Amino acid sequence: MAHYRIALLPGDGIGVEVIGQAVRVLDALGGRFDHSFEYTEDLVGGASIDAHGVALRDETLDMCQAQDAVLFGAVGGPKWDDPKASVRPEQAILGLRKGLGLFANIRPVKMLPILADATPLKRETVEAVDMVVLRELTGGIYFGEPQRRWDEDGQRKAVDTLAYSEEEVERIVRLGFETARGRRKLLTSVDKANILDTSRMWREITEEIAKDYPDVTLEHRLVDACAMDLIRHPSYFDVIVTENMFGDILTDEASMLAGSMGMLPSASLGAAADGSTLGLYEPIHGTAPDIAGQGIANPMAMILSAALMLRYSFGLEQEAATIEQAVIETLSAGHRPADLASEGDASLGTEALGELIADTVAAGN
Ligand code: NAD
């Protein structure tokens, strides 16, 4: 029996509600495929601020580093929303990214035909959407120094710094080429090379790496044009690779193509000291304070994040596909979470959906 150790970081709001359903599905899967999953749970985000005064404790980071993978819910909420506070829930995410060396965020965006009418776009525009967006995670404007505010001549001033090194660009771009190689072999690198020096360097390095991947077609797009084309012709894209802030914005835009925030998983990958892959898996949505505590959050993005964990961290492709298929079957059978139900139609709550998916996984599909 293979044994896997998983750090469980539920976080706040619906993070706590949906992560329990991922565990339920993993346990059902373990029973069927003879794997055992051992979970070590800890507080992060607002819950950790309340209990310990910080969003992420060193002990929590150490615990994560000692596991085989990390499952993360979401952090934040109105209770901790003061932008001037020195301790904020998002520090947990940034701390985990830095502490675990997570440099790549991978977001598959695939339209399930059964949900093609649930997106704000026309069915014919979205039904063939099948792309992967790779976002660089550790560099760029979110981490550059100086980052500060000050007063000068009676005016408020502030500065953020956008910085990248060659190494940071190369590792994410290479992952982009490798990912494209395993798919339709089209890599779109997104930048703002008409304005930014970091983008001009990004483009130059990407062109150099392209020589190692003659089988992959490389194209460059400016981020503003790409934002437009993602809506105009989304099925064109195969793999998109981009820097931190552009990726933050484009991945949320791309998420709307798949129908709902509640459907999309993500993987954040880093390289452990021994060369093995270290991954953190989380839904792309936040803590949804507007519905938290009502038991109606869609658990599918979290459950599909567990499937990505099986695929990328444990190499369990068949098991990952089993979970993905169980989600599709649950939807195909007509069961809908509230965020995907048409007005007036019945929907199922978080627990009921988790149970149905777990039962489908256990029964074999
Ligand atoms: P959100 O993703 O929490 O919610 C946006 C909208 O989508 C809401 O209407 C919500 O009800 C809905 N939604 C999201 N996930 C859903 C699900 N699984 N099922 C059904 N409906 C769902 O984004 P927000 O409102 O901008 O942020 C709320 C809080 O979450 C903030 O504190 C923010 O900082 C935090 N946040 C955290 C993360 C993270 O931890 N990775 C990511 C984004 C936002």
Side-chain angles (χ1 to χ4, degrees):
M1 176 183 278
H3 183 71
Y4 300 96
R5 290 162 309 149
I6 300 167
L8 270 194
L9 306 177
D12 308 308
I14 66 164
V16 181
E17 298 168 43
V18 294
I19 212 166
Q21 302 315 310
V23 168
R24 184 191 284 236
V25 171
L26 282 172
D27 287 342
L29 186 96
R32 172 155 164 227
F33 286 88
D34 206 21
H35 303 312
S36 74
F37 299 106
E38 178 189 333
Y39 309 98
T40 307
E41 189 168 333
D42 208 346
L43 301 175
V44 284
S48 176
I49 292 174
D50 288 351
H52 307 295
V54 289
L56 176 71
R57 290 182 306 150
D58 291 344
E59 295 93 305
T60 311
L61 197 54
D62 291 346
M63 182 277 284
C64 292
Q65 269 159 343
Q67 312 300 309
D68 299 319
V70 181
L71 273 186
F72 182 91
V75 293
K79 183 175 174 193
W80 309 278
D81 248 1
D82 178 4
K84 290 197 189 123
S86 60
V87 178
R88 297 189 312 278
E90 316 82 78
Q91 288 164 344
I93 305 174
L94 299 182
L96 281 162
R97 282 180 192 157
K98 275 284 177 204
L100 300 178
L102 306 173
F103 67 88
N105 182 246
I106 305 179
R107 292 192 186 180
V109 181
K110 190 173 162 118
M111 186 72 227
L112 302 178
I114 196 156
L115 296 179
D117 293 319
T119 89
L121 301 181
K122 290 194 201 109
R123 168 180 273 274
E124 55 271 28
T125 307
V126 293
E127 63 190 350
V129 166
D130 181 1
M131 73 178 92
V132 176
V133 187
L134 297 186
R135 166 187 168 196
E136 202 289 326
L137 269 189
T138 56
I141 201 160
Y142 296 167
F143 294 104
E145 293 289 345
Q147 179 182 57
R148 66 187 184 95
R149 290 179 56 147
W150 71 99
D151 289 333
E152 196 176 299
D153 302 330
Q155 292 275 312
R156 277 169 288 190
K157 292 203 163 185
V159 64
D160 296 290
T161 303
L162 171 48
Y164 266 106
S165 71
E166 180 169 350
E167 187 198 359
E168 286 170 330
V169 176
E170 178 167 355
R171 62 188 177 180
I172 184 86
V173 168
R174 274 202 188 277
L175 187 63
F177 277 107
E178 292 290 338
T179 308
R181 188 169 253 180
R183 294 173 44 95
R184 281 190 286 125
K185 300 186 172 52
L186 170 63
L187 180 65
T188 304
S189 174
V190 177
D191 60 38
K192 189 72 182 167
N194 52 341
I195 308 279
L196 300 173
D197 262 327
T198 43
S199 284
R200 285 189 278 272
M201 182 185 78
W202 179 287
R203 212 176 258 219
E204 200 176 285
I205 294 169
T206 304
E207 284 292 340
E208 288 161 14
I209 297 170
K211 297 193 180 88
D212 296 339
Y213 298 88
D215 51 324
V216 175
T217 303
L218 168 69
E219 60 169 21
H220 303 281
R221 288 206 188 197
L222 297 175
V223 62
D224 38 347
C226 184
M228 201 165 63
D229 288 335
L230 267 175
I231 300 297
R232 193 162 52 184
H233 192 16
S235 56
Y236 166 82
F237 294 99
D238 180 17
V239 178
I240 294 176
V241 65
T242 191
E243 62 94 67
N244 204 343
M245 183 168 67
F246 297 159
D248 194 2
I249 298 165
L250 291 182
T251 45
D252 266 23
E253 184 189 358
S255 73
M256 290 313 293
L257 303 169
S260 162
M261 297 281 276
M263 287 305 298
L264 289 186
S266 81
S268 297
L269 302 184
D274 64 357
S276 63
T277 306
L278 186 73
L280 178 145
Y281 301 85
E282 59 180 319
I284 71 154
H285 60 72
T287 56
D290 53 338
I291 58 164
Q294 297 176 29
I296 58 168
N298 180 354
M300 293 182 181
M302 185 78 239
I303 290 169
L304 292 169
S305 300
L308 291 186
M309 174 183 74
L310 299 175
R311 175 172 294 129
Y312 290 121
S313 279
F314 306 157
L316 301 174
E317 176 56 38
Q318 192 194 347
E319 289 83 338
T322 298
I323 292 183
E324 289 162 351
Q325 188 55 32
V327 169
I328 293 173
E329 279 187 26
T330 302
L331 290 167
S332 302
H335 305 297
R336 292 282 187 278
D339 57 328
L340 294 178
S342 309
E343 224 172 296
D345 282 356
S347 60
L348 288 179
T350 313
E351 294 248 344
L353 281 165
E355 195 175 342
L356 274 173
I357 296 167
D359 288 349
T360 309
V361 161
N365 44 44

